[in-house]
Every structure is written in structure tokens, then in C-alpha cells.
């Protein structure tokens, strides 16, 4: 684990700030088996379609995001989780400011 305090109760959404016109990311763990990253998206920002070699689990911590997975759009709100299978083309769009945690298992 990195970029995160150990042995302390934390609110993950507080670990990344919003910055207008930007996507902010903070890596919490990364190795050959797993990647855990926090993101904040300013409204209107996006990550264009791409693929991952691992299964990805997204949990929205704040706000609302639109995820397109294999051509299907999904609206995911705070407290909700979406699983994106490995090799499935996917994209992310911020319908409003939103924060998420992304866990990828390789």
C-alpha cells in the first residue's frame, strides 16, 4: 500500500480533491496481481474507450458517472458498484463531479 495512512479509519472520498477541468488519480496499491486507484473527475471530463487485461471493479464514492462497457451505457451513483470484465472495451464520463475507487485484478 502507498499514498495512504495505515492503522487509521479513513474516508476514501476525502483522499482526492476535485480540480475543475481535470481527472485526479491516486494509486493506493499496484503490483502484478492487483491495482487500486482513487479518482476524482470534474464534470464533463472523460477517459476514452480502452481495455484492461484484468477484471475491474468500480465503486462510486461521490456523485454520478456514466460507464460504457461493451457498448452498453451504465449510470453509476455514489454507493453503487460496477464490474467491468477483462478485455471488455470501456469508457468513463463524468455526468457531474464524481469520485470512484477502481480495483483491477489481473
Amino acid at each position: 500500500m502507498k499514498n495512504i495512512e495505515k492503522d487509521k479509519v479513513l474516508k476514501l472520498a476525502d483522499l482526492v480533491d476535485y480540480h475543475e477541468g481535470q481527472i485526479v488519480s491516486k494509486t493506493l496499491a499496484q503490483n502484478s496481481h492487483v491495482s487500486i486507484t482513487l479518482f476524482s473527475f470534474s464534470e464533463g471530463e472523460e477517459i476514452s474507450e480502452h481495455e484492461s487485461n484484468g477484471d475491474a471493479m468500480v465503486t462510486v464514492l461521490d456523485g454520478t458517472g456514466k460507464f460504457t462497457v461493451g457498448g452498453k451505457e451504465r449510470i453509476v451513483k455514489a454507493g453503487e458498484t460496477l464490474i467491468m470484465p477483462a478485455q471488455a472495451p470501456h469508457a468513463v464520463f463524468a455526468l457531474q463531479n464524481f469520485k470512484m475507487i477502481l480495483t483491477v485484478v489481473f
Side-chain angles (χ1 to χ4, degrees):
M1 300 294 290
K2 61 182 183 178
N3 298 318
I4 191 168
E5 293 183 62
K6 295 175 177 76
D7 196 26
K8 182 177 179 182
V9 176
L10 303 167
K11 186 172 179 183
L12 293 176
D14 291 345
L15 300 181
V16 287
D17 294 321
Y18 292 115
H19 293 280
E20 188 173 338
Q22 295 183 28
I23 299 170
V24 177
S25 67
K26 180 182 275 194
T27 301
L28 302 182
Q30 190 165 16
N31 60 40
S32 60
H33 303 289
V34 68
S35 173
I36 303 172
T37 309
L38 282 172
F39 287 90
S40 72
F41 286 72
S42 178
E43 182 176 345
E45 293 301 310
E46 63 185 315
I47 296 176
S48 60
E49 188 173 82
H50 61 284
E51 295 179 11
S52 172
N53 291 327
D55 292 322
M57 181 175 74
V58 169
T59 299
V60 174
L61 304 172
D62 183 48
T64 304
K66 178 175 74 173
F67 296 79
T68 305
V69 183
K72 293 182 181 180
E73 289 185 359
R74 304 276 191 240
I75 304 302
V76 186
K77 299 175 183 178
E80 297 179 333
T81 298
L82 173 67
I83 306 297
M84 300 180 289
Q87 308 304 324
H90 58 277
V92 184
F93 179 80
L95 294 171
Q96 58 183 214
N97 285 350
F98 88 99
K99 296 179 182 181
M100 69 178 200
I101 187 164
L102 171 67
T103 302
V104 182
V105 179
F106 301 101

